[in-house]
Structure formats: structure tokens, C-alpha cells
Amino acid sequence: MSDSIAVDLLFGGMDKLGPGSDTDTLRVFEMLPAREWQLVVDAGSGAGRQTLALAQRLQTKIHAVDSHEPFLAALRERTRAEGIAQLIETHCFDMADIPARFREIDLLWSEGAAYSIGFPHALQTWQPALRSGGFAIVSELSWLRDDPPSEVRRFFEHGYPDMRNVEANRSVAEAAGYEVIATHVVPPDAWVDGYYDILEPRARALLDHADESVRAFAAEMVEEIRIFEISEETYGYVFYLLRNR
């Protein structure tokens, strides 16, 4: 069974495909200076929870980019249901290819997706596609303290060995040609509400699935949630608000 089928079994039909909330999305947007946003791209949009929130707030077209067509199909269905289909255009391709498709981006938004191509690589890749003075708003899994429980540290040494603390990520962004204008930490309840509280029972129900790859994928999610519960808030998603120099 393909990985995409395992993903669909676990995440299918969910509005949220990662930690976050409309409240946090809009709070971060309000931290930006007031200006006209002509070209807006959501990189790694998934099913578009944040895309919809931004479209409603901006009332301007957002280009949603994701490589998993079923997520984009779900987003299109929601835009029609909410009567804002004219505000969101979907594109199925790798977000690393954004500079080949878009130029002079005013606002590039990416929640919880940059890690898939590497945070430094994502910032370097997207920077040429931004207009001078344009903004990249990128959330990245980050260490919030230097003293995580040993079990938590071991989990991420295997699962995400490149995870950095906030200061290191600020340095990465500056080296890629951005000015860091602010950061925002996604609170713990945005991990649970509408995300882990849905995924945990789904994952446990798939632990006995006939396909080994589905069982393994589900077991990884169960373990990820357990690690979050014992983490003592030593890591989290952090929004980095970046201005292209």
C-alpha cells in the first residue's frame, strides 16, 4: 500500500493537518504592516485551514500550493461550500518549485510545511521568488528550551535531527537574506484541538490494520502524541515573520 493511502486513512477529511488555529494565523497576520497584498502564495497548504482563514481576512486571491492532490480537492470543496471559490486557486506541484511558477510574491505563507524540504533550504529556495520588501511567514518546529526530557530529545534525534532553537532559526533566516521582524509560538492547545484529539483515536484504530505500512504509520503517530504529552512544552511550532531584504 502506498504512503499516500496511509496518509489519507489517517488524515482524510480533517480540516487541520498540523498544529495551529485560525486564531494564531490571524494574530500573526495582524503583526504585519498594513499594505496591499497583490500576489499571495500558501506553500504546502494541505487542506487549507489557514488558506481559508487568510482568504476571508484579505479578500484577495491566494494561490494554494501542495503536492498531494486529495488535500487540494478537499480545499476546493470547502471554498465552494463557503462561497469563496474565487479567492483561492489550487496548484498541485512541489513547493520547492514555487520560484519557477511565481515571481514578485508579496506574501508567502507556510504553516508547518517547510521542514519537508528543510527549513534553511525552503527559505533559500523561496527568497528569489519574493519581491523586494515582500514577506515570508513560515512556521517551523523549534526547541523552546534547552532542557527537554531525555526521551523527548531522543525522539527528535531520530525523527527530526535538524530541529533548531529559535535563535538558531533566526540566524538561518538572516543568512538566507531575510530580516526577522517578529516570532510567535503556537500554544499547546492548538496542537490538541481539532488535531491530536482527532488523530489519536484514528491512529489507535489503525494499529490493527491489515497493511503493515498503515500499522507503522499509525504507531508513529501514537508515539508522536505520547512524546508531546510528556514534553513539558520544550518544543513547539514557531512562526518566523520574515521580510525579504
Side-chain angles (χ1 to χ4, degrees), residues 78-162:
R78 291 187 64 194
T79 65
R80 291 190 290 269
E82 297 187 20
I84 58 169
Q86 76 282 3
L87 292 179
I88 297 176
E89 182 174 337
T90 62
H91 306 267
C92 189
F93 61 83
D94 193 300
M95 61 185 178
D97 295 331
I98 282 175
R101 307 292 187 100
F102 298 102
R103 287 288 178 175
E104 299 293 297
I105 296 172
D106 294 287
L107 177 62
L108 186 146
W109 199 277
S110 184
E111 292 197 29
Y115 79 93
S116 66
I117 60 174
F119 184 67
H121 178 61
L123 297 188
Q124 292 164 8
T125 298
W126 296 335
Q127 191 266 344
L130 291 167
R131 85 168 51 247
S132 178
F135 288 85
I137 311 304
V138 184
S139 72
E140 167 71 351
L141 193 61
S142 309
W143 291 114
L144 303 179
R145 297 207 325 250
D146 294 330
D147 59 343
S150 58
E151 199 171 357
V152 174
R153 175 72 74 179
R154 287 195 300 272
F155 176 82
F156 284 106
E157 284 175 351
H158 172 72
Y160 192 19
D162 293 332

Coordinates of all heavy atoms in Angstrom, one line a residue, residues 78-162:
R78 N -14.2 22.9 0.1 CA -14.5 23.9 1.2 C -14.7 25.3 0.7 O -15.5 26.0 1.2 CB -13.5 23.8 2.2 CG -13.4 22.5 3.0 CD -12.4 22.5 4.1 NE -12.9 23.5 5.1 CZ -12.1 23.9 6.1 NH1 -10.8 23.5 6.2 NH2 -12.5 24.8 7.0
T79 N -13.9 25.7 -0.3 CA -14.1 27.0 -0.9 C -15.5 27.2 -1.5 O -16.1 28.3 -1.4 CB -13.0 27.4 -1.9 OG1 -13.2 26.5 -3.1 CG2 -11.6 27.2 -1.4
R80 N -15.9 26.1 -2.2 CA -17.3 26.2 -2.8 C -18.4 26.3 -1.7 O -19.3 27.0 -1.8 CB -17.5 25.0 -3.7 CG -16.7 25.1 -5.0 CD -17.1 24.0 -6.0 NE -16.8 22.7 -5.5 CZ -15.6 22.0 -5.8 NH1 -14.7 22.7 -6.5 NH2 -15.4 20.8 -5.4
A81 N -18.2 25.5 -0.6 CA -19.1 25.4 0.5 C -19.2 26.8 1.2 O -20.3 27.2 1.6 CB -18.8 24.3 1.4
E82 N -18.1 27.5 1.3 CA -18.1 28.7 2.0 C -18.3 29.9 1.0 O -18.2 31.1 1.5 CB -16.7 28.9 2.7 CG -16.6 27.8 3.8 CD -15.3 28.0 4.7 OE1 -14.8 29.2 4.8 OE2 -14.9 27.0 5.3
G83 N -18.5 29.7 -0.2 CA -18.8 30.7 -1.2 C -17.6 31.6 -1.5 O -17.8 32.8 -1.9
I84 N -16.4 31.1 -1.4 CA -15.2 31.9 -1.7 C -14.3 31.2 -2.7 O -13.1 31.5 -2.7 CB -14.4 32.3 -0.4 CG1 -13.9 31.0 0.3 CG2 -15.2 33.2 0.5 CD1 -12.9 31.3 1.4
A85 N -14.9 30.5 -3.6 CA -14.0 29.7 -4.6 C -13.2 30.7 -5.4 O -12.1 30.4 -5.9 CB -14.9 28.9 -5.5
Q86 N -13.7 31.9 -5.6 CA -13.0 32.9 -6.5 C -11.7 33.4 -5.8 O -10.9 34.1 -6.4 CB -13.9 34.1 -6.8 CG -14.2 35.1 -5.7 CD -15.2 34.6 -4.7 OE1 -15.7 33.5 -4.7 NE2 -15.5 35.5 -3.7
L87 N -11.6 33.2 -4.5 CA -10.5 33.7 -3.7 C -9.3 32.8 -3.6 O -8.2 33.2 -3.1 CB -10.9 34.2 -2.3 CG -11.9 35.4 -2.2 CD1 -12.3 35.6 -0.8 CD2 -11.2 36.6 -2.9
I88 N -9.5 31.5 -4.0 CA -8.4 30.5 -3.8 C -8.2 29.7 -5.1 O -9.2 29.1 -5.6 CB -8.7 29.6 -2.6 CG1 -8.7 30.4 -1.3 CG2 -7.6 28.5 -2.5 CD1 -9.1 29.6 -0.1
E89 N -7.0 29.7 -5.5 CA -6.6 28.9 -6.7 C -5.6 27.8 -6.3 O -4.6 28.2 -5.7 CB -6.0 29.8 -7.8 CG -5.7 29.1 -9.1 CD -5.3 30.0 -10.2 OE1 -5.6 31.2 -10.2 OE2 -4.5 29.5 -11.1
T90 N -5.9 26.6 -6.6 CA -5.0 25.5 -6.1 C -4.0 25.1 -7.2 O -4.3 25.2 -8.4 CB -5.8 24.3 -5.7 OG1 -6.6 23.8 -6.8 CG2 -6.8 24.6 -4.6
H91 N -2.8 24.6 -6.8 CA -1.8 24.2 -7.7 C -1.1 23.0 -7.1 O -0.6 23.0 -6.0 CB -0.7 25.3 -7.9 CG -1.3 26.6 -8.3 ND1 -1.4 27.1 -9.6 CD2 -1.8 27.7 -7.5 CE1 -1.9 28.3 -9.6 NE2 -2.1 28.7 -8.4
C92 N -1.1 21.9 -7.9 CA -0.5 20.6 -7.4 C 0.9 20.5 -8.0 O 1.1 20.0 -9.1 CB -1.4 19.4 -7.8 SG -0.9 17.9 -7.0
F93 N 1.9 20.9 -7.2 CA 3.3 20.7 -7.5 C 4.1 20.9 -6.2 O 3.6 21.3 -5.2 CB 3.8 21.6 -8.6 CG 3.7 23.1 -8.4 CD1 4.6 23.8 -7.7 CD2 2.6 23.8 -8.9 CE1 4.6 25.1 -7.4 CE2 2.5 25.2 -8.7 CZ 3.5 25.9 -8.0
D94 N 5.3 20.5 -6.3 CA 6.2 20.6 -5.2 C 6.5 22.0 -4.8 O 6.8 22.9 -5.7 CB 7.5 19.9 -5.5 CG 8.4 19.6 -4.2 OD1 8.8 20.6 -3.6 OD2 8.7 18.5 -4.0
M95 N 6.4 22.4 -3.5 CA 6.6 23.8 -3.1 C 8.0 24.3 -3.4 O 8.3 25.5 -3.4 CB 6.2 24.0 -1.7 CG 7.0 23.2 -0.7 SD 6.3 23.4 1.0 CE 7.4 22.3 1.9
A96 N 9.0 23.3 -3.6 CA 10.3 23.8 -4.0 C 10.3 24.4 -5.3 O 11.3 25.1 -5.7 CB 11.3 22.6 -3.9
D97 N 9.3 24.1 -6.1 CA 9.2 24.7 -7.5 C 8.5 26.0 -7.6 O 8.3 26.6 -8.7 CB 8.5 23.7 -8.4 CG 9.3 22.4 -8.6 OD1 10.5 22.4 -8.5 OD2 8.6 21.4 -8.8
I98 N 8.2 26.6 -6.4 CA 7.5 27.9 -6.4 C 8.2 29.0 -7.2 O 7.6 29.7 -8.0 CB 7.2 28.3 -5.0 CG1 6.0 27.5 -4.4 CG2 6.9 29.8 -4.9 CD1 5.7 27.7 -3.0
P99 N 9.5 29.1 -7.1 CA 10.2 30.2 -7.9 C 10.1 30.0 -9.4 O 10.2 31.0 -10.1 CB 11.7 30.1 -7.4 CG 11.6 29.5 -6.1 CD 10.5 28.5 -6.2
A100 N 9.8 28.8 -9.9 CA 9.7 28.6 -11.3 C 8.3 28.9 -11.8 O 8.0 29.1 -13.0 CB 10.0 27.1 -11.6
R101 N 7.3 29.1 -10.8 CA 5.9 29.3 -11.2 C 5.5 30.7 -10.8 O 4.5 31.3 -11.4 CB 5.0 28.3 -10.4 CG 5.4 26.9 -10.6 CD 5.2 26.4 -12.0 NE 5.4 24.9 -12.1 CZ 4.4 24.0 -12.1 NH1 3.2 24.4 -12.1 NH2 4.7 22.7 -12.3
F102 N 6.1 31.3 -9.8 CA 5.7 32.6 -9.3 C 6.9 33.6 -9.1 O 7.9 33.1 -8.7 CB 4.9 32.5 -7.9 CG 3.7 31.7 -8.0 CD1 3.7 30.4 -7.5 CD2 2.5 32.2 -8.5 CE1 2.5 29.7 -7.5 CE2 1.3 31.5 -8.5 CZ 1.4 30.2 -8.0
R103 N 6.7 34.8 -9.4 CA 7.7 35.9 -9.2 C 7.0 37.1 -8.6 O 5.8 37.3 -8.7 CB 8.4 36.2 -10.5 CG 9.3 35.2 -11.1 CD 10.6 35.1 -10.2 NE 11.5 34.0 -10.7 CZ 12.7 33.8 -10.2 NH1 13.1 34.6 -9.2 NH2 13.4 32.8 -10.6
E104 N 7.8 37.8 -7.8 CA 7.4 39.1 -7.2 C 6.2 38.8 -6.2 O 5.2 39.5 -6.2 CB 6.9 40.1 -8.2 CG 8.1 40.5 -9.2 CD 9.2 41.3 -8.4 OE1 8.9 42.4 -7.9 OE2 10.3 40.8 -8.4
I105 N 6.4 37.8 -5.4 CA 5.4 37.4 -4.4 C 5.4 38.5 -3.3 O 6.5 38.8 -2.8 CB 5.7 36.0 -3.8 CG1 5.5 34.9 -4.9 CG2 4.7 35.7 -2.6 CD1 6.0 33.6 -4.4
D106 N 4.2 39.0 -2.9 CA 4.1 39.9 -1.8 C 4.1 39.3 -0.5 O 4.7 39.8 0.5 CB 2.8 40.8 -2.0 CG 2.9 41.7 -3.2 OD1 3.6 42.7 -3.2 OD2 2.1 41.3 -4.2
L107 N 3.4 38.1 -0.4 CA 3.3 37.4 0.9 C 3.3 35.9 0.6 O 2.4 35.4 -0.1 CB 2.0 37.8 1.5 CG 1.6 37.0 2.8 CD1 2.7 37.3 3.9 CD2 0.2 37.4 3.3
L108 N 4.3 35.2 1.1 CA 4.4 33.8 1.0 C 4.2 33.2 2.4 O 4.9 33.6 3.4 CB 5.8 33.3 0.5 CG 5.9 31.8 0.3 CD1 6.8 31.5 -0.9 CD2 6.4 31.1 1.5
W109 N 3.1 32.4 2.5 CA 2.7 31.9 3.8 C 3.0 30.4 3.8 O 2.7 29.7 2.9 CB 1.2 32.1 4.0 CG 0.8 32.0 5.5 CD1 0.4 30.9 6.1 CD2 0.6 33.1 6.4 NE1 0.1 31.2 7.4 CE2 0.2 32.6 7.6 CE3 0.8 34.5 6.3 CZ2 -0.1 33.4 8.7 CZ3 0.5 35.3 7.4 CH2 0.1 34.7 8.6
S110 N 3.5 29.8 4.9 CA 3.8 28.4 5.0 C 3.7 27.9 6.5 O 4.6 28.3 7.3 CB 5.1 28.0 4.4 OG 5.3 26.6 4.4
E111 N 2.6 27.2 6.8 CA 2.5 26.7 8.1 C 2.8 25.2 8.2 O 2.2 24.4 7.6 CB 1.0 26.9 8.6 CG 0.7 28.4 8.8 CD -0.6 28.6 9.7 OE1 -0.9 27.7 10.6 OE2 -1.2 29.6 9.5
G112 N 3.9 24.9 9.0 CA 4.2 23.5 9.3 C 4.6 22.7 8.1 O 4.6 21.4 8.2
A113 N 5.1 23.3 7.0 CA 5.4 22.6 5.8 C 6.9 22.7 5.4 O 7.3 21.8 4.7 CB 4.5 23.0 4.7
A114 N 7.6 23.7 5.8 CA 8.9 23.9 5.3 C 9.9 22.8 5.7 O 10.8 22.5 4.9 CB 9.5 25.3 5.9
Y115 N 9.6 22.1 6.8 CA 10.5 21.1 7.2 C 10.6 20.0 6.2 O 11.7 19.3 6.1 CB 10.0 20.4 8.6 CG 8.9 19.4 8.3 CD1 9.2 18.1 8.2 CD2 7.5 19.9 8.2 CE1 8.1 17.2 7.9 CE2 6.5 19.0 8.0 CZ 6.8 17.6 7.9 OH 5.8 16.7 7.6
S116 N 9.6 19.8 5.3 CA 9.6 18.7 4.4 C 10.7 18.8 3.4 O 11.2 17.8 2.8 CB 8.3 18.5 3.7 OG 8.0 19.6 2.9
I117 N 11.2 20.0 3.1 CA 12.3 20.2 2.2 C 13.5 20.9 3.0 O 14.5 21.2 2.4 CB 12.0 21.1 1.0 CG1 11.5 22.5 1.4 CG2 11.0 20.4 0.1 CD1 11.3 23.4 0.2
G118 N 13.4 21.0 4.3 CA 14.4 21.6 5.2 C 14.2 23.1 5.3 O 14.1 23.8 4.3
F119 N 14.1 23.5 6.5 CA 13.9 25.0 6.8 C 14.9 25.9 6.1 O 14.5 26.8 5.4 CB 13.9 25.2 8.3 CG 13.5 26.6 8.7 CD1 12.3 27.1 8.5 CD2 14.5 27.4 9.4 CE1 12.0 28.4 9.0 CE2 14.2 28.7 9.8 CZ 12.9 29.2 9.6
P120 N 16.2 25.6 6.2 CA 17.1 26.5 5.5 C 17.0 26.5 4.0 O 17.0 27.5 3.3 CB 18.5 26.0 5.9 CG 18.3 25.2 7.2 CD 16.9 24.6 7.1
H121 N 16.8 25.2 3.5 CA 16.6 25.1 2.0 C 15.3 25.8 1.6 O 15.3 26.4 0.5 CB 16.5 23.6 1.7 CG 16.3 23.4 0.2 ND1 17.2 23.8 -0.8 CD2 15.4 22.7 -0.5 CE1 16.8 23.4 -2.0 NE2 15.7 22.8 -1.8
A122 N 14.2 25.7 2.3 CA 13.0 26.3 1.9 C 13.2 27.8 1.9 O 12.8 28.5 0.9 CB 11.9 26.0 2.9
L123 N 13.8 28.4 2.9 CA 14.0 29.9 2.9 C 14.9 30.3 1.7 O 14.6 31.3 1.1 CB 14.6 30.3 4.2 CG 13.7 30.1 5.5 CD1 14.4 30.8 6.7 CD2 12.3 30.6 5.3
Q124 N 15.9 29.6 1.5 CA 16.8 29.9 0.4 C 16.1 29.8 -1.0 O 16.3 30.6 -1.9 CB 18.1 29.0 0.4 CG 19.0 29.3 1.6 CD 20.0 28.1 1.8 OE1 20.1 27.2 1.0 NE2 20.7 28.2 2.9
T125 N 15.3 28.7 -1.1 CA 14.6 28.5 -2.4 C 13.6 29.5 -2.7 O 13.4 30.0 -3.8 CB 13.9 27.1 -2.3 OG1 14.9 26.1 -2.1 CG2 13.1 26.8 -3.6
W126 N 12.8 29.9 -1.6 CA 11.7 30.9 -1.8 C 12.1 32.3 -2.0 O 11.4 33.1 -2.6 CB 10.7 30.7 -0.7 CG 10.0 29.4 -0.6 CD1 9.8 28.5 -1.7 CD2 9.5 28.8 0.5 NE1 9.2 27.4 -1.2 CE2 9.0 27.5 0.1 CE3 9.4 29.1 1.9 CZ2 8.3 26.6 1.0 CZ3 8.8 28.3 2.8 CH2 8.3 27.0 2.3
Q127 N 13.3 32.6 -1.4 CA 13.7 34.0 -1.3 C 13.7 34.7 -2.7 O 13.3 35.9 -2.8 CB 15.1 34.1 -0.6 CG 15.5 35.6 -0.3 CD 16.4 36.2 -1.4 OE1 16.9 35.5 -2.2 NE2 16.6 37.5 -1.3
P128 N 14.3 34.1 -3.8 CA 14.3 34.8 -5.1 C 12.9 35.1 -5.7 O 12.7 35.9 -6.6 CB 15.1 33.8 -6.0 CG 15.8 33.0 -5.1 CD 14.9 32.8 -3.9
A129 N 11.9 34.3 -5.2 CA 10.5 34.5 -5.7 C 9.8 35.7 -5.0 O 8.7 36.1 -5.5 CB 9.7 33.2 -5.5
L130 N 10.3 36.2 -4.0 CA 9.7 37.3 -3.2 C 10.1 38.6 -3.8 O 11.3 38.8 -4.2 CB 10.1 37.3 -1.8 CG 9.5 36.1 -0.9 CD1 10.3 36.1 0.4 CD2 8.0 36.3 -0.7
R131 N 9.2 39.5 -3.9 CA 9.6 40.9 -4.3 C 10.4 41.5 -3.2 O 10.4 41.1 -2.0 CB 8.3 41.7 -4.6 CG 7.7 42.4 -3.5 CD 6.7 43.5 -4.0 NE 5.7 43.0 -4.9 CZ 5.7 43.4 -6.2 NH1 6.5 44.3 -6.6 NH2 4.7 43.0 -7.0
S132 N 11.2 42.5 -3.5 CA 12.0 43.2 -2.5 C 11.0 43.8 -1.5 O 10.1 44.5 -1.9 CB 12.8 44.3 -3.2 OG 13.5 45.0 -2.2
G133 N 11.3 43.5 -0.2 CA 10.4 44.0 0.8 C 9.2 43.1 1.0 O 8.3 43.4 1.9
G134 N 9.1 42.0 0.2 CA 8.0 41.1 0.4 C 8.2 40.2 1.7 O 9.3 40.2 2.3
F135 N 7.2 39.5 2.1 CA 7.2 38.8 3.4 C 7.1 37.3 3.2 O 6.3 36.8 2.3 CB 6.1 39.3 4.3 CG 6.3 40.7 4.9 CD1 6.0 41.8 4.2 CD2 7.0 40.8 6.1 CE1 6.2 43.1 4.6 CE2 7.2 42.1 6.6 CZ 6.8 43.2 5.9
A136 N 7.8 36.6 4.0 CA 7.6 35.1 4.1 C 7.3 34.8 5.6 O 8.0 35.2 6.5 CB 8.9 34.4 3.8
I137 N 6.1 34.2 5.8 CA 5.7 33.9 7.1 C 5.7 32.3 7.2 O 4.9 31.7 6.6 CB 4.2 34.4 7.4 CG1 4.1 35.9 7.0 CG2 3.9 34.1 8.8 CD1 5.1 36.8 7.7
V138 N 6.7 31.8 8.0 CA 6.9 30.4 8.0 C 6.9 29.9 9.4 O 7.6 30.4 10.3 CB 8.3 30.1 7.3 CG1 8.6 28.6 7.2 CG2 8.4 30.8 5.9
S139 N 6.1 28.9 9.7 CA 6.2 28.2 11.0 C 7.0 27.0 10.9 O 7.0 26.2 9.9 CB 4.8 27.9 11.5 OG 4.2 26.8 10.8
E140 N 7.8 26.8 11.9 CA 8.8 25.7 12.0 C 8.9 25.1 13.4 O 8.9 25.8 14.4 CB 10.2 26.3 11.6 CG 11.4 25.4 11.8 CD 11.5 24.2 10.9 OE1 10.6 23.9 10.2 OE2 12.5 23.5 11.0
L141 N 9.0 23.8 13.4 CA 9.1 23.1 14.7 C 10.5 23.5 15.3 O 11.5 23.4 14.6 CB 9.0 21.6 14.4 CG 8.9 20.7 15.7 CD1 7.6 21.0 16.4 CD2 8.9 19.2 15.3
S142 N 10.4 24.0 16.5 CA 11.6 24.6 17.1 C 11.7 24.2 18.6 O 10.7 24.0 19.3 CB 11.5 26.1 17.1 OG 11.3 26.5 15.7
W143 N 12.9 24.0 19.1 CA 13.1 23.9 20.5 C 12.8 25.2 21.2 O 13.3 26.3 20.8 CB 14.6 23.5 20.8 CG 15.0 22.1 20.4 CD1 15.9 21.7 19.4 CD2 14.4 20.8 20.9 NE1 15.9 20.4 19.3 CE2 15.1 19.8 20.2 CE3 13.5 20.5 21.9 CZ2 14.8 18.5 20.4 CZ3 13.2 19.2 22.1 CH2 13.9 18.2 21.4
L144 N 12.1 25.1 22.3 CA 11.7 26.3 23.1 C 12.6 26.4 24.3 O 12.7 27.5 24.9 CB 10.3 26.3 23.5 CG 9.3 26.2 22.3 CD1 7.8 26.2 22.8 CD2 9.5 27.4 21.3
R145 N 13.2 25.3 24.7 CA 14.1 25.2 25.9 C 15.2 24.3 25.6 O 15.1 23.4 24.7 CB 13.3 24.8 27.2 CG 12.2 25.7 27.6 CD 12.0 25.6 29.1 NE 12.2 24.2 29.7 CZ 11.2 23.5 30.2 NH1 9.9 23.8 30.1 NH2 11.5 22.3 30.7
D146 N 16.3 24.4 26.3 CA 17.5 23.6 26.1 C 17.5 22.4 27.0 O 18.5 21.6 26.9 CB 18.7 24.4 26.3 CG 18.9 25.5 25.3 OD1 18.4 25.4 24.1 OD2 19.5 26.6 25.6
D147 N 16.4 22.1 27.7 CA 16.5 21.0 28.7 C 15.3 20.1 28.5 O 14.5 19.8 29.5 CB 16.5 21.6 30.1 CG 15.3 22.4 30.5 OD1 14.6 22.9 29.5 OD2 15.0 22.7 31.7
P148 N 15.0 19.6 27.3 CA 13.9 18.7 27.2 C 14.1 17.4 27.9 O 15.3 17.0 28.1 CB 13.8 18.4 25.6 CG 15.2 18.6 25.2 CD 15.8 19.7 26.1
P149 N 13.0 16.7 28.3 CA 13.2 15.3 28.9 C 14.0 14.5 27.9 O 13.9 14.6 26.7 CB 11.8 14.8 29.0 CG 11.0 16.1 29.2 CD 11.6 17.1 28.3
S150 N 14.8 13.6 28.4 CA 15.7 12.8 27.6 C 15.0 12.0 26.6 O 15.5 11.8 25.4 CB 16.6 11.8 28.5 OG 15.8 11.0 29.3
E151 N 13.8 11.5 26.9 CA 13.0 10.7 26.0 C 12.6 11.6 24.8 O 12.5 11.1 23.6 CB 11.8 10.1 26.7 CG 11.2 8.9 25.9 CD 10.2 8.2 26.8 OE1 9.9 8.6 27.9 OE2 9.6 7.2 26.2
V152 N 12.3 12.8 25.1 CA 11.8 13.7 24.0 C 13.0 14.1 23.1 O 12.9 14.1 21.9 CB 11.3 15.0 24.6 CG1 10.9 16.1 23.6 CG2 10.0 14.7 25.5
R153 N 14.2 14.3 23.7 CA 15.4 14.6 22.9 C 15.7 13.4 22.0 O 16.0 13.6 20.8 CB 16.5 14.9 23.9 CG 17.9 15.0 23.2 CD 18.0 16.4 22.4 NE 18.1 17.5 23.4 CZ 18.3 18.7 23.0 NH1 18.2 19.0 21.7 NH2 18.4 19.7 23.8
R154 N 15.6 12.2 22.5 CA 15.9 11.0 21.7 C 14.9 10.9 20.5 O 15.3 10.5 19.4 CB 15.9 9.7 22.6 CG 17.1 9.6 23.5 CD 17.2 8.2 24.0 NE 16.1 7.8 24.8 CZ 15.9 8.0 26.1 NH1 16.9 8.6 26.7 NH2 14.8 7.6 26.7
F155 N 13.7 11.1 20.8 CA 12.6 11.0 19.8 C 13.0 11.9 18.6 O 12.9 11.5 17.4 CB 11.3 11.4 20.4 CG 10.1 11.4 19.3 CD1 9.5 10.2 19.0 CD2 9.7 12.6 18.8 CE1 8.5 10.2 18.0 CE2 8.7 12.6 17.8 CZ 8.1 11.4 17.4
F156 N 13.4 13.2 18.9 CA 13.6 14.1 17.8 C 15.0 13.9 17.2 O 15.2 14.3 16.0 CB 13.4 15.5 18.2 CG 11.9 15.9 18.3 CD1 11.3 16.0 19.6 CD2 11.2 16.1 17.2 CE1 10.0 16.3 19.6 CE2 9.9 16.4 17.2 CZ 9.2 16.5 18.5
E157 N 15.9 13.3 17.9 CA 17.2 13.0 17.3 C 17.0 12.0 16.2 O 17.8 12.0 15.2 CB 18.2 12.4 18.4 CG 18.8 13.4 19.3 CD 19.6 12.8 20.4 OE1 19.5 11.5 20.6 OE2 20.2 13.5 21.1
H158 N 16.0 11.2 16.3 CA 15.6 10.2 15.2 C 14.7 10.8 14.2 O 14.8 10.7 13.0 CB 15.1 8.9 15.8 CG 14.5 8.0 14.8 ND1 15.3 7.3 13.9 CD2 13.2 7.7 14.4 CE1 14.6 6.6 13.1 NE2 13.3 6.8 13.4
G159 N 13.6 11.5 14.7 CA 12.5 12.0 13.9 C 12.8 13.3 13.2 O 12.3 13.5 12.1
Y160 N 13.5 14.2 13.8 CA 13.8 15.5 13.2 C 15.1 16.0 13.7 O 15.2 16.9 14.5 CB 12.7 16.5 13.4 CG 12.7 17.7 12.6 CD1 13.5 17.8 11.4 CD2 12.1 18.9 13.0 CE1 13.6 18.9 10.6 CE2 12.1 20.0 12.2 CZ 12.9 20.1 11.0 OH 12.9 21.2 10.3
P161 N 16.2 15.4 13.3 CA 17.5 15.7 13.9 C 18.0 17.1 13.6 O 18.8 17.7 14.3 CB 18.5 14.7 13.2 CG 17.8 14.2 12.0 CD 16.3 14.3 12.3
D162 N 17.4 17.8 12.6 CA 17.8 19.1 12.2 C 17.0 20.2 13.0 O 17.1 21.4 12.7 CB 17.6 19.4 10.7 CG 18.5 18.5 9.9 OD1 19.6 18.2 10.4 OD2 18.2 18.2 8.7

